[in-house]
Amino acid sequence: MTAVAVPESHAPQSDGPGGLLPFGPIAYGCWRFGGTSTSEASVKVNTAIECGMTLIDTAAIYGYTGDVPAADESSGFGAAESLLGRVLAESPGLRDQITLATKGGIFPPVPYDSSPTYLRASVDESLRRLQVDRIDLFQVHRPDLLVHPESLAAVLGELVAAGKVRAVGVSNYSVAQTRALTSYLEVPLVSTQPEFSPLELAPLMDGTLDHAMQHGVVPLAWSPLGGGRLGLPPTNDERAEAVARICDRIASEQGVTRTAVVLAWVMRHPAGCVPIVGTQRPERIRECARAVEVILSRDEWYEILVAGRGEPMP
């Protein structure tokens, strides 16, 4: 397997945020990471690392089937973390090559739980499943509307002080929710994880990316290919078809694939967005990594934006 060179414009940060190790411009996500052997999973992780995807993102709920409560051992809850843990255990040197990120705060059938008792237990269980003694980045997966931000800030600070977590972030938080939490935090908030793609443009308009730039927070973009709609031939989706046509034209001109162009569009924003890709095929991981080779002009970036909006800019 050949590593993909990372151009200087997309090189990993020299100093990671909040004490994190530097990580690459694209992250590898484990939300579909299950149902395979440890050897197959190892190939995926190693391919991602070779391609510069050194932030590996998972979550306690990844692998959950939704058929039974999460407390049931047959639910699949924690399966992705456990599989990744076996990969790391079988290749001890691998742990030092990655920034390990996971999330907690969802435990079906109760939708969200960020209570101190649950988050402490969630982190301990993640450490056990991942077979590590510290999580590099722990993110609260969804905002729990029944937890005061002061209480959440206290437990996050406690986890960092205990050495179980190196840094903390949030996922799917609004700007107002993020501000409320940071007003109580004594440790820096280093990341936010919104859904962001040419078909999901809310972070551009609701202040998420502006807030991230203002405070030096890294946006980790989940579902950057529009839930797969931009990675496959689009059907009955006018906006996806319009984006695909433009990206295919640019891809043909630059000798890459549409996927690479879409990811490059996400990365082009000055907030320094890091798209998280979750493909299970090593060849597709390499295809995604070529996004760092794509150069989008200002006209091209806005052309894709307008197509994704389905209407001209105001």
Side-chain angles (χ1 to χ4, degrees), residues 177-186 189 211:
Q177 290 165 334
T178 303
R179 284 177 175 155
L181 176 59
T182 54
S183 71
Y184 293 102
L185 273 173
E186 295 184 359
L189 195 75
H211 183 268

Side-chain angles (χ1 to χ4, degrees), residues 159-264:
L159 292 168
V160 173
K164 295 180 179 182
V165 169
R166 185 192 293 266
V168 296
V170 293
S171 176
N172 302 295
Y173 265 55
S174 70
V175 172
Q177 290 165 334
T178 303
R179 284 177 175 155
L181 176 59
T182 54
S183 71
Y184 293 102
L185 273 173
E186 295 184 359
V187 296
L189 195 75
V190 305
S191 66
T192 184
Q193 190 162 320
E195 182 179 5
F196 179 45
S197 76
L199 300 179
E200 179 51 64
L201 301 169
L204 287 173
M205 311 301 176
D206 65 11
T208 297
L209 298 185
D210 299 301
H211 183 268
M213 289 187 288
Q214 180 183 2
H215 295 280
V217 172
V218 178
L220 304 172
W222 66 269
S223 202
L225 296 174
R229 287 181 290 166
L230 295 175
L232 299 171
T235 57
N236 301 320
D237 188 329
E238 291 185 6
R239 290 194 302 130
E241 290 174 359
V243 170
R245 282 194 298 271
I246 298 167
C247 291
D248 283 344
R249 185 196 75 221
I250 297 169
S252 178
E253 292 170 352
Q254 300 199 25
V256 295
T257 63
R258 180 199 306 161
T259 293
V261 175
V262 174
L263 295 176

Side-chain angles (χ1 to χ4, degrees), residues 45-301:
V45 172
N46 277 283
T47 300
I49 294 170
E50 290 177 4
C51 290
M53 302 179 189
T54 54
L55 189 149
I56 308 297
D57 175 76
T58 187
I61 197 171
Y62 291 169
Y64 176 65
T65 62
D67 298 328
V68 294
D72 190 311
E73 291 184 1
S74 68
S75 71
F77 187 90
E81 286 186 329
S82 293
L83 180 55
L84 180 57
R86 292 195 294 273
V87 170
L88 296 175
E90 290 191 2
S91 302
L94 207 58
R95 176 66 183 93
D96 295 333
Q97 299 179 47
I98 67 171
T99 294
L100 179 59
T102 194
K103 296 179 288 293
I106 304 178
F107 194 70
V110 177
Y112 311 131
D113 190 345
S114 294
S115 64
T117 298
Y118 177 71
L119 283 191
R120 290 188 193 103
S122 179
V123 166
D124 286 342
E125 283 298 296
S126 291
L127 289 168
R128 180 186 61 80
R129 287 189 290 260
L130 291 164
Q131 301 189 52
V132 298
D133 57 12
R134 182 165 64 174
I135 295 162
D136 294 322
L137 174 61
F138 178 76
Q139 296 181 111
V140 183
H141 205 156
R142 294 271 180 178
D144 180 352
L145 304 180
L146 293 179
V147 168
H148 194 286
E150 184 176 17
S151 174
L152 178 56
V155 73
L156 292 176
E158 173 190 314
L159 292 168
V160 173
K164 295 180 179 182
V165 169
R166 185 192 293 266
V168 296
V170 293
S171 176
N172 302 295
Y173 265 55
S174 70
V175 172
Q177 290 165 334
T178 303
R179 284 177 175 155
L181 176 59
T182 54
S183 71
Y184 293 102
L185 273 173
E186 295 184 359
V187 296
L189 195 75
V190 305
S191 66
T192 184
Q193 190 162 320
E195 182 179 5
F196 179 45
S197 76
L199 300 179
E200 179 51 64
L201 301 169
L204 287 173
M205 311 301 176
D206 65 11
T208 297
L209 298 185
D210 299 301
H211 183 268
M213 289 187 288
Q214 180 183 2
H215 295 280
V217 172
V218 178
L220 304 172
W222 66 269
S223 202
L225 296 174
R229 287 181 290 166
L230 295 175
L232 299 171
T235 57
N236 301 320
D237 188 329
E238 291 185 6
R239 290 194 302 130
E241 290 174 359
V243 170
R245 282 194 298 271
I246 298 167
C247 291
D248 283 344
R249 185 196 75 221
I250 297 169
S252 178
E253 292 170 352
Q254 300 199 25
V256 295
T257 63
R258 180 199 306 161
T259 293
V261 175
V262 174
L263 295 176
W265 184 89
V266 172
M267 296 159 64
R268 177 72 165 78
H269 191 275
C273 299
V274 176
I276 305 172
V277 300
T279 179
Q280 298 298 289
R281 293 159 47 199
E283 65 272 20
R284 284 273 290 162
I285 294 173
R286 298 188 189 94
E287 176 186 325
C288 291
R290 295 196 64 193
V292 300
E293 302 173 21
V294 177
I295 305 299
L296 289 178
S297 69
R298 181 179 296 271
D299 288 349
E300 289 168 336
W301 192 88

